[in-house]
Amino acid sequence: MDELNDKRQKMIEAARMYYQLDYNQEEIAKQLGVSRPTVSRFLQQAKLSGIVQIRIVDPVADQQERVELLERKYGLKKAIVAPIPKYEDRIVKSFLGEAAADYLLELVKDGDSIAVTWGTTLYEVALKLRSKHVKGVSVVQLNGGVSHSEINTYAYEIAQLFGNAFHTNPYHLHLPAIVDHAIVRRTIEADRHVRNILNRGKDANIALVTVGSPTPDSVLMAANYFTPEDVEMIRSRGVGDICSRVIDINGNLCSSELNERTIGIELDELRHKETSILVAGGPSKIDAVLGALRGKYVNTLITDYITAQHLLEA
């Protein structure tokens, strides 16, 4: 019995040295005082008896499983989880921009109408768009983007770059995203030229949006749209914004009064698009993405691996 236990212990030690400490079989044989063929038999027996269990992880299969789980959990038509080499905001946006640009190149066909919002993530998408020769495509801005500060929302550049890629002149909405009073918004939207562009955004069959988070470096926060009272409310109840409309973790609008002052597509209209694509990721955006998905405002998600994992665990 002692001899059997000694043999078993040597087999375990051989397996530990080979698989955990990276010793080769010759080194193990010297350490244990056995022959090299004996070490080989030890390793084989260790696998057959279950002492050593080898698991092969296929990154492609793992990625595909994560995509399918996301689609099922949030009722999405499509999810894309982009590989990100380094989890930094600038790098995340760049790689998400590339993934979204590639997807749009496949998606857009003759006669499509593409509505876009603005911000640094969508600017990355716009920069990476490649030209596609399609007929009768239109591009329209979904919501106001003129800033009250020196911050650049990239609203004009995004629409222009999209227009260039799909060989069309875009419809710009040269207005702020949020005004001080609801009556001002209603007056602006009563103008027939403004109403025409808003209707084009409402009728577009493809919408491309992102989410913002209520952090000091947020483009929406830095654009100086909000009163101090607005900021206090957003930080206490909001997790982010979609099309400049502030939502909570469950996707509900945080303030009907603030919503009445916001120029652009209503979130319920976004919800009914044929294809509504959310491009967003990174640590500061997780709650905002979750709110947008829970509100069912989009049916397509392009995000990164870590954000996807958080969404599956939520």
PDB file of all heavy atoms in Angstrom, residues 7 14 34-45:
ATOM      1  N   LYS A   7       3.912   5.889  -5.367  1.00  0.00           N
ATOM      2  CA  LYS A   7       3.811   6.028  -6.818  1.00  0.00           C
ATOM      3  C   LYS A   7       2.796   7.109  -7.191  1.00  0.00           C
ATOM      4  O   LYS A   7       3.041   7.932  -8.071  1.00  0.00           O
ATOM      5  CB  LYS A   7       3.404   4.682  -7.427  1.00  0.00           C
ATOM      6  CG  LYS A   7       3.356   4.689  -8.949  1.00  0.00           C
ATOM      7  CD  LYS A   7       2.956   3.319  -9.481  1.00  0.00           C
ATOM      8  CE  LYS A   7       2.841   3.359 -11.003  1.00  0.00           C
ATOM      9  NZ  LYS A   7       2.383   2.063 -11.549  1.00  0.00           N
ATOM     10  N   ALA A  14       4.863  14.898 -10.413  1.00  0.00           N
ATOM     11  CA  ALA A  14       5.298  15.016 -11.811  1.00  0.00           C
ATOM     12  C   ALA A  14       4.340  15.913 -12.593  1.00  0.00           C
ATOM     13  O   ALA A  14       4.758  16.780 -13.381  1.00  0.00           O
ATOM     14  CB  ALA A  14       5.377  13.628 -12.457  1.00  0.00           C
ATOM     15  N   VAL A  34      13.485   8.916 -11.244  1.00  0.00           N
ATOM     16  CA  VAL A  34      12.870   7.890 -12.084  1.00  0.00           C
ATOM     17  C   VAL A  34      13.324   8.105 -13.517  1.00  0.00           C
ATOM     18  O   VAL A  34      13.980   9.091 -13.845  1.00  0.00           O
ATOM     19  CB  VAL A  34      11.314   7.939 -11.997  1.00  0.00           C
ATOM     20  CG1 VAL A  34      10.845   7.641 -10.583  1.00  0.00           C
ATOM     21  CG2 VAL A  34      10.798   9.298 -12.475  1.00  0.00           C
ATOM     22  N   SER A  35      12.955   7.168 -14.395  1.00  0.00           N
ATOM     23  CA  SER A  35      13.318   7.295 -15.798  1.00  0.00           C
ATOM     24  C   SER A  35      12.375   8.258 -16.517  1.00  0.00           C
ATOM     25  O   SER A  35      11.259   8.519 -16.059  1.00  0.00           O
ATOM     26  CB  SER A  35      13.267   5.920 -16.479  1.00  0.00           C
ATOM     27  OG  SER A  35      11.925   5.462 -16.557  1.00  0.00           O
ATOM     28  N   ARG A  36      12.811   8.742 -17.657  1.00  0.00           N
ATOM     29  CA  ARG A  36      11.977   9.654 -18.446  1.00  0.00           C
ATOM     30  C   ARG A  36      10.697   8.969 -18.940  1.00  0.00           C
ATOM     31  O   ARG A  36       9.629   9.573 -18.890  1.00  0.00           O
ATOM     32  CB  ARG A  36      12.790  10.219 -19.612  1.00  0.00           C
ATOM     33  CG  ARG A  36      12.030  11.249 -20.413  1.00  0.00           C
ATOM     34  CD  ARG A  36      12.919  11.963 -21.388  1.00  0.00           C
ATOM     35  NE  ARG A  36      12.165  12.877 -22.214  1.00  0.00           N
ATOM     36  CZ  ARG A  36      12.701  13.704 -23.096  1.00  0.00           C
ATOM     37  NH1 ARG A  36      14.011  13.734 -23.245  1.00  0.00           N
ATOM     38  NH2 ARG A  36      11.949  14.505 -23.813  1.00  0.00           N
ATOM     39  N   PRO A  37      10.765   7.697 -19.433  1.00  0.00           N
ATOM     40  CA  PRO A  37       9.518   7.026 -19.823  1.00  0.00           C
ATOM     41  C   PRO A  37       8.522   6.906 -18.664  1.00  0.00           C
ATOM     42  O   PRO A  37       7.307   6.967 -18.868  1.00  0.00           O
ATOM     43  CB  PRO A  37       9.985   5.646 -20.295  1.00  0.00           C
ATOM     44  CG  PRO A  37      11.389   5.868 -20.759  1.00  0.00           C
ATOM     45  CD  PRO A  37      11.943   6.881 -19.797  1.00  0.00           C
ATOM     46  N   THR A  38       9.055   6.747 -17.433  1.00  0.00           N
ATOM     47  CA  THR A  38       8.171   6.674 -16.257  1.00  0.00           C
ATOM     48  C   THR A  38       7.440   7.994 -16.058  1.00  0.00           C
ATOM     49  O   THR A  38       6.240   8.036 -15.761  1.00  0.00           O
ATOM     50  CB  THR A  38       8.977   6.320 -14.992  1.00  0.00           C
ATOM     51  OG1 THR A  38       9.586   5.043 -15.181  1.00  0.00           O
ATOM     52  CG2 THR A  38       8.083   6.275 -13.765  1.00  0.00           C
ATOM     53  N   VAL A  39       8.163   9.104 -16.245  1.00  0.00           N
ATOM     54  CA  VAL A  39       7.533  10.433 -16.143  1.00  0.00           C
ATOM     55  C   VAL A  39       6.419  10.563 -17.177  1.00  0.00           C
ATOM     56  O   VAL A  39       5.317  11.051 -16.890  1.00  0.00           O
ATOM     57  CB  VAL A  39       8.579  11.558 -16.324  1.00  0.00           C
ATOM     58  CG1 VAL A  39       7.884  12.916 -16.423  1.00  0.00           C
ATOM     59  CG2 VAL A  39       9.563  11.555 -15.173  1.00  0.00           C
ATOM     60  N   SER A  40       6.679  10.129 -18.401  1.00  0.00           N
ATOM     61  CA  SER A  40       5.682  10.190 -19.468  1.00  0.00           C
ATOM     62  C   SER A  40       4.432   9.397 -19.087  1.00  0.00           C
ATOM     63  O   SER A  40       3.304   9.847 -19.302  1.00  0.00           O
ATOM     64  CB  SER A  40       6.281   9.658 -20.763  1.00  0.00           C
ATOM     65  OG  SER A  40       5.350   9.769 -21.823  1.00  0.00           O
ATOM     66  N   ARG A  41       4.643   8.186 -18.480  1.00  0.00           N
ATOM     67  CA  ARG A  41       3.505   7.367 -18.036  1.00  0.00           C
ATOM     68  C   ARG A  41       2.761   8.056 -16.901  1.00  0.00           C
ATOM     69  O   ARG A  41       1.529   8.045 -16.859  1.00  0.00           O
ATOM     70  CB  ARG A  41       3.989   5.981 -17.595  1.00  0.00           C
ATOM     71  CG  ARG A  41       4.330   5.055 -18.748  1.00  0.00           C
ATOM     72  CD  ARG A  41       4.397   3.603 -18.268  1.00  0.00           C
ATOM     73  NE  ARG A  41       5.428   3.430 -17.247  1.00  0.00           N
ATOM     74  CZ  ARG A  41       6.707   3.179 -17.511  1.00  0.00           C
ATOM     75  NH1 ARG A  41       7.128   3.089 -18.772  1.00  0.00           N
ATOM     76  NH2 ARG A  41       7.570   3.009 -16.527  1.00  0.00           N
ATOM     77  N   PHE A  42       3.500   8.699 -15.968  1.00  0.00           N
ATOM     78  CA  PHE A  42       2.864   9.439 -14.869  1.00  0.00           C
ATOM     79  C   PHE A  42       1.905  10.517 -15.418  1.00  0.00           C
ATOM     80  O   PHE A  42       0.770  10.662 -14.961  1.00  0.00           O
ATOM     81  CB  PHE A  42       3.914  10.121 -13.990  1.00  0.00           C
ATOM     82  CG  PHE A  42       4.576   9.226 -12.988  1.00  0.00           C
ATOM     83  CD1 PHE A  42       5.785   9.582 -12.405  1.00  0.00           C
ATOM     84  CD2 PHE A  42       3.987   8.025 -12.612  1.00  0.00           C
ATOM     85  CE1 PHE A  42       6.397   8.768 -11.468  1.00  0.00           C
ATOM     86  CE2 PHE A  42       4.593   7.194 -11.675  1.00  0.00           C
ATOM     87  CZ  PHE A  42       5.809   7.567 -11.101  1.00  0.00           C
ATOM     88  N   LEU A  43       2.392  11.263 -16.402  1.00  0.00           N
ATOM     89  CA  LEU A  43       1.588  12.365 -16.958  1.00  0.00           C
ATOM     90  C   LEU A  43       0.336  11.838 -17.672  1.00  0.00           C
ATOM     91  O   LEU A  43      -0.744  12.430 -17.586  1.00  0.00           O
ATOM     92  CB  LEU A  43       2.444  13.205 -17.917  1.00  0.00           C
ATOM     93  CG  LEU A  43       3.640  13.935 -17.286  1.00  0.00           C
ATOM     94  CD1 LEU A  43       4.465  14.640 -18.359  1.00  0.00           C
ATOM     95  CD2 LEU A  43       3.183  14.934 -16.230  1.00  0.00           C
ATOM     96  N   GLN A  44       0.517  10.726 -18.384  1.00  0.00           N
ATOM     97  CA  GLN A  44      -0.621  10.123 -19.071  1.00  0.00           C
ATOM     98  C   GLN A  44      -1.658   9.617 -18.065  1.00  0.00           C
ATOM     99  O   GLN A  44      -2.869   9.830 -18.219  1.00  0.00           O
ATOM    100  CB  GLN A  44      -0.129   8.970 -19.967  1.00  0.00           C
ATOM    101  CG  GLN A  44      -1.215   8.351 -20.831  1.00  0.00           C
ATOM    102  CD  GLN A  44      -1.765   9.323 -21.868  1.00  0.00           C
ATOM    103  OE1 GLN A  44      -1.100  10.294 -22.227  1.00  0.00           O
ATOM    104  NE2 GLN A  44      -2.985   9.081 -22.310  1.00  0.00           N
ATOM    105  N   GLN A  45      -1.189   8.936 -17.013  1.00  0.00           N
ATOM    106  CA  GLN A  45      -2.090   8.423 -15.977  1.00  0.00           C
ATOM    107  C   GLN A  45      -2.796   9.565 -15.239  1.00  0.00           C
ATOM    108  O   GLN A  45      -3.955   9.438 -14.853  1.00  0.00           O
ATOM    109  CB  GLN A  45      -1.299   7.555 -14.985  1.00  0.00           C
ATOM    110  CG  GLN A  45      -0.872   6.207 -15.543  1.00  0.00           C
ATOM    111  CD  GLN A  45       0.160   5.513 -14.653  1.00  0.00           C
ATOM    112  OE1 GLN A  45       0.517   6.017 -13.590  1.00  0.00           O
ATOM    113  NE2 GLN A  45       0.654   4.371 -15.119  1.00  0.00           N
TER     114      GLN A  45
END
